[in-house]
Amino acid sequence: MVIIGVDTGGTFTDFIYKDGDKWGVFKTLSTPENPAKAVLFGIEKVAKDKPKNITHGSTVATNAVLERKGAKTAFITNKGFEDILFIGRQNREKLYDLHYRKNPPLVQKELSFGVKGRIIYTGEEIEKLDEMEIEEVAKVLKKKGVESVAVSFLFSFLNPEHEEIVEKVLKKHGFEVSISSKIVPEFREYERSSTSVINAYVMPKMKGYISFLENYLSKEDRLRIMQSNGGVISSETVKEQPVRTILSGPAGGVVGAWKIGKLAGYEKLITFDMGGTSTDVSLIDGKPIITTESKIEGYPVKVPVIDIHTVGAGGGSIARIDSGGALTVGPESAGADPGPICYGKGEEITITDANLFLGRLIPDYFLGGNMKLHYERIVPYFEKMAKKAGITPLELAEGILEIANTKMEKAIRVISVERGYNPQEFSLFSFGGAGGLHAAFLAKVLGIPRVIVPQNPGILSAMGMVLSDIVKDYSLTVMLTGKSVNKENIKRFFRVLEEKAFEDLKREGISENKIKVEKYLDMRYKGQSFELIVPFVDDFIEAFHKEHERVYGYSNRKREVEVVNVRIRAIGETEKPELKKFNLVSEKVPEGALLERRKVYFDGKWIETSVYDREKLLPGNRIEGAAIVVEYSSTTVIPPFAKAFVDEYKNLVIEV
């Protein structure tokens, strides 16, 4: 059986595969009009008719929300609460932006319905649900051409009966239905409703996409989808809960960095994933950090996701001179079509073009020489923009890279310094097609001592998918205070979640001895509005005080502590390919690894630079900067101020 990891990006669709003992990688341009075309083309290319075990990171759900191209969706809630999506939290995302406007909800005002029926805070029913009223609403929805419906009632996390009745009636009428008690059985009705609406909004599109793939796969093939929480689930589960794949691709990269970094002996990592459209950064302190407070386009997503921060700076990000004469880079991207100018069709300068102009990208070795870069095309565009800006073309190219680096530096500070972590205690784990071109410069600015560049960094997200386990998250709102905050009481709630977890993982084909469960508590001081996620350890109250001090700079052991939610992370271990460890050999680079010496532009001057073939570098080899290391999926720049060595897992470690 061929093991395949697939990651769909804005510019390229990446594949990593293992056929018997042989590893292989493949990249093809993405097909934005139908991402499945590039996926199926690549699967056919690497595996042909052989049985396949496929793990896929999909951007379908993300793009449906970003482009507002999901299904026509309705929202049903309790009477009097129809405006919950429109009121939200009444907070301003950009406090000092006088022109700021909140994104309108994904549901139109006339498609938000309130119905009779009420469950109260104890879980008791005080007003019955009228099924005939639901039938009438269903008729209205049919007339209005609604495809999908989100249902979110007050306190349904304590008693889901009303939501389940509505779901049954609506499914009978042929609607796709997303009920909040199945998606997020937690308190905070706005966040719960928002997550359920996003799920309903993307559900028809995701179902269609996965079904399209399945139709082209044989019965012997297995298809799993990467989730935002760093685990995989079956394609059947994703059809019902696509909101769990909102950060699917970037999560694969974080998992790949975590697994490879841990093998190489690095527990503290900042992951830096620079692709064609954007850059994703995340922090790993022993393991990836999970949050339940993420947003997409300003809409809360309450399901657990890896804490990833994204900025619009990728290889395809477009550089422009704005109306005030300032140079700007991104967030708009040239994408796969037309792409950067040097790809042959584009008309606007991008970060990739700037790297090529400075000699840091080498046309003969791009994608293993399989894709031509047109240096001659970019020169007149740089001359024209430089003239407009009143600088030289070389200054323009360096300026573009400095602006991009500043954006990415700020993103790294958001997930480290602003979260109470010191970047100097971490290693920068760089991947993505463009990551190696910028990582060493970022590390120097942030005081990070080293950069780790794995083998085939351009397809690491796909690699992470192959190395992922099946992960399912479960939660329950308990609101425990005072004497009820004790271990025995909490264990009682955990048992309920564990039973469901074991049942679900067995359905995914995981045997009981391959299942492990991690337990967490959402805790806060009584009276606070937000919680911290803390592992359920022997002294979980002390663990909370320490975490509160790390995050906020203080703790108060005299204050009463409240347990808001209990949550478990059920992990089903899957069969994974092993990563080989090699013996260290000579520090001297083999003669065949040096491809050429060429002039590259660094800090205002041309410097003689060695170009190496990564495939021919051996564990133990040491390289002095300035140097460029080329390989099929990426290019790594080792600036004059840095040096590098190849470790036992063939990672390139750059010392800054």
Side-chain angles (χ1 to χ4, degrees):
M1 184 172 268
V2 184
I3 297 168
I4 304 173
V6 189
D7 177 39
T8 306
T11 309
F12 288 100
T13 296
D14 304 330
F15 299 81
I16 187 159
Y17 60 97
K18 189 167 190 276
D19 189 355
D21 292 330
K22 180 187 147 211
W23 281 96
V25 296
F26 178 67
K27 284 175 89 81
T28 186
L29 283 170
S30 295
T31 48
E33 77 289 351
N34 182 359
K37 285 183 182 177
V39 172
L40 291 169
F41 171 75
I43 289 171
E44 168 67 23
K45 185 94 174 166
V46 304
K48 297 190 169 55
D49 296 327
K50 295 176 183 176
K52 298 168 276 291
N53 182 354
I54 304 160
T55 306
H56 178 23
S58 167
T59 56
V60 171
T62 318
N63 292 343
V65 176
L66 296 179
E67 297 167 9
R68 295 187 77 92
K69 290 182 179 174
K72 190 169 186 180
T73 305
F75 176 61
I76 297 177
T77 186
N78 299 95
K79 203 166 196 63
F81 287 81
E82 300 90 339
D83 290 334
I84 188 169
L85 297 172
F86 299 86
I87 297 169
R89 289 284 170 204
Q90 296 186 320
N91 55 344
R92 288 171 65 97
E93 292 286 318
K94 297 176 182 175
L95 200 58
Y96 301 106
D97 183 352
L98 299 179
H99 303 286
Y100 171 71
R101 289 290 179 274
K102 199 156 51 170
N103 276 339
L106 298 170
V107 173
Q108 297 166 23
K109 189 92 168 176
E110 65 270 19
L111 294 179
S112 191
F113 297 87
V115 296
K116 290 177 184 173
R118 181 65 73 90
I119 304 285
I120 59 168
Y121 70 97
T122 58
E124 297 171 78
E125 179 187 71
I126 60 165
E127 183 181 29
K128 277 198 171 299
L129 193 73
D130 183 351
E131 281 193 50
M132 289 311 295
E133 187 181 6
I134 307 302
E135 291 282 356
E136 289 303 313
V137 171
K139 286 176 190 172
V140 175
L141 298 180
K142 277 283 182 197
K143 280 181 190 170
K144 290 184 180 283
V146 168
E147 298 170 71
S148 195
V149 186
V151 185
S152 180
F153 288 144
L154 295 177
F155 302 106
S156 63
F157 55 88
L158 294 174
N159 181 350
E161 188 183 339
H162 285 187
E163 286 191 354
E164 287 166 356
I165 292 168
V166 175
E167 179 185 34
K168 192 177 173 185
V169 172
L170 293 176
K171 280 191 170 177
K172 184 180 73 182
H173 286 274
F175 296 104
E176 300 289 0
V177 187
S178 169
I179 64 172
S180 73
S181 51
K182 282 185 182 172
I183 307 295
V184 193
E186 297 178 25
F187 92 126
R188 288 203 174 96
E189 57 273 13
Y190 169 57
E191 286 77 7
R192 182 158 47 89
S193 299
S194 170
T195 308
S196 304
V197 165
I198 292 170
N199 196 69
Y201 186 72
V202 301
M203 193 190 286
K205 198 154 193 173
M206 195 61 149
K207 274 191 174 179
Y209 176 75
I210 290 174
S211 299
F212 184 86
L213 289 177
E214 288 173 335
N215 288 341
Y216 282 88
L217 299 174
S218 72
K219 288 183 180 176
E220 293 174 313
D221 298 335
R222 179 194 288 159
L223 176 64
R224 286 184 175 139
I225 308 294
M226 189 75 196
Q227 299 178 89
S228 313
N229 66 1
V232 295
I233 42 174
S234 68
S235 56
E236 285 305 310
T237 307
V238 170
K239 285 178 186 177
E240 297 304 318
Q241 299 196 9
V243 71
R244 297 189 182 276
T245 68
I246 287 290
L247 286 173
S248 175
V254 176
V255 171
W258 172 41
K259 302 272 185 180
I260 292 168
K262 195 172 182 180
L263 269 179
Y266 302 101
E267 295 275 343
K268 287 174 169 271
L269 300 169
I270 291 171
T271 69
F272 170 61
D273 175 8
M274 185 177 178
T277 309
S278 60
T279 293
D280 302 305
V281 295
S282 187
L283 187 136
I284 298 171
D285 190 8
K287 61 172 67 174
I289 292 171
I290 303 293
T291 180
T292 57
E293 293 175 15
S294 66
K295 289 182 178 179
I296 178 166
E297 285 293 276
Y299 308 122
V301 180
K302 197 80 172 71
V303 294
V305 303
I306 292 178
D307 191 5
I308 296 169
H309 184 65
T310 302
V311 288
S317 292
I318 294 168
R320 292 193 176 113
I321 305 290
D322 70 13
S323 56
L327 179 62
T328 64
V329 181
E332 193 183 340
S333 172
D337 187 14
I341 296 169
C342 61
Y343 284 12
K345 285 165 71 178
E347 299 288 334
E348 295 190 274
I349 293 173
T350 66
I351 291 173
T352 297
D353 296 314
N355 275 306
L356 178 62
F357 194 78
L358 296 173
R360 299 178 191 182
L361 264 181
I362 302 166
D364 293 347
Y365 306 111
F366 190 75
L367 271 190
N370 294 323
M371 185 172 171
K372 186 171 170 58
L373 294 183
H374 304 264
Y375 177 82
E376 72 288 349
R377 275 198 91 227
I378 67 175
V379 176
Y381 289 93
F382 272 90
E383 288 173 347
K384 185 181 174 184
M385 189 184 278
K387 191 175 179 183
K388 186 179 176 183
I391 54 177
T392 68
L394 286 168
E395 285 171 335
L396 172 65
E398 276 207 307
I400 289 168
L401 298 189
E402 279 180 33
I403 290 167
N405 286 346
T406 302
K407 271 190 165 188
M408 295 183 287
E409 177 203 338
K410 188 178 176 186
I412 290 172
R413 289 188 186 280
V414 167
I415 54 103
S416 57
V417 178
E418 291 184 22
R419 304 273 203 277
Y421 295 97
N422 180 359
Q424 295 175 20
E425 295 173 5
F426 290 76
S427 301
L428 189 66
F429 198 102
S430 169
F431 55 102
L437 292 162
H438 297 259
F441 300 95
L442 287 171
K444 186 184 181 189
V445 170
L446 289 157
I448 297 172
R450 75 188 63 79
V451 177
I452 301 156
V453 186
Q455 288 188 89
N456 298 308
I459 48 85
L460 187 86
S461 290
M463 181 68 171
M465 290 161 200
V466 168
L467 295 174
S468 295
D469 291 310
I470 291 175
V471 177
K472 284 181 169 274
D473 290 295
Y474 303 84
S475 59
L476 187 66
T477 294
V478 291
M479 289 295 186
L480 303 176
T481 54
K483 290 180 180 176
S484 59
V485 181
N486 64 73
K487 282 185 84 171
E488 290 312 309
N489 198 22
I490 292 168
K491 281 179 182 175
R492 188 165 51 86
F493 292 110
F494 276 129
R495 276 193 289 273
V496 176
L497 297 180
E498 281 179 275
E499 280 174 26
K500 181 159 176 43
F502 273 82
E503 196 180 299
D504 287 351
L505 283 174
K506 282 176 189 171
R507 263 203 300 273
E508 295 263 2
I510 303 293
S511 57
E512 198 164 316
N513 64 327
K514 294 282 183 184
I515 299 173
K516 72 175 184 186
V517 172
E518 295 176 355
K519 299 174 183 176
Y520 298 92
L521 302 172
D522 291 5
M523 299 177 70
R524 65 187 182 188
Y525 290 121
K526 195 169 181 186
Q528 285 184 324
S529 299
F530 295 96
E531 304 82 47
L532 294 173
I533 299 176
V534 176
F536 181 58
V537 292
D538 283 341
D539 194 348
F540 59 89
I541 292 176
E542 180 57 26
F544 165 72
H545 290 308
K546 284 180 178 173
E547 180 64 3
H548 196 281
E549 191 160 356
R550 189 193 66 76
V551 174
Y552 297 115
Y554 78 98
S555 60
N556 187 344
R557 285 165 174 78
K558 292 176 183 175
R559 277 187 72 176
E560 190 177 344
V561 169
E562 186 173 29
V563 175
V564 176
N565 301 310
V566 296
R567 61 177 73 247
I568 68 167
R569 188 173 170 83
I571 301 163
E573 289 179 26
T574 57
E575 204 175 321
K576 293 182 280 293
E578 277 186 42
L579 297 172
K580 195 175 175 185
K581 186 177 181 180
F582 298 87
N583 292 322
L584 296 176
V585 291
S586 167
E587 289 188 6
K588 190 179 177 186
V589 175
E591 275 184 34
L594 179 63
L595 296 169
E596 61 174 279
R597 288 181 67 75
R598 55 158 44 217
K599 298 277 189 187
V600 179
Y601 203 75
F602 292 104
D603 285 331
K605 55 181 180 283
W606 292 99
I607 293 177
E608 188 81 9
T609 302
S610 302
V611 180
Y612 295 99
D613 180 353
R614 181 150 187 191
E615 292 295 312
K616 292 177 181 171
L617 293 177
L618 302 172
N621 286 174
R622 290 193 168 268
I623 298 169
E624 293 292 325
I628 290 175
V629 180
V630 296
E631 58 187 303
Y632 174 74
S633 68
S634 188
T635 299
T636 302
V637 172
I638 303 164
F641 57 76
K643 54 188 177 181
F645 67 91
V646 182
D647 74 5
E648 295 163 303
Y649 292 93
K650 291 195 173 179
N651 298 309
L652 187 63
V653 182
I654 303 170
E655 296 168 327
V656 178

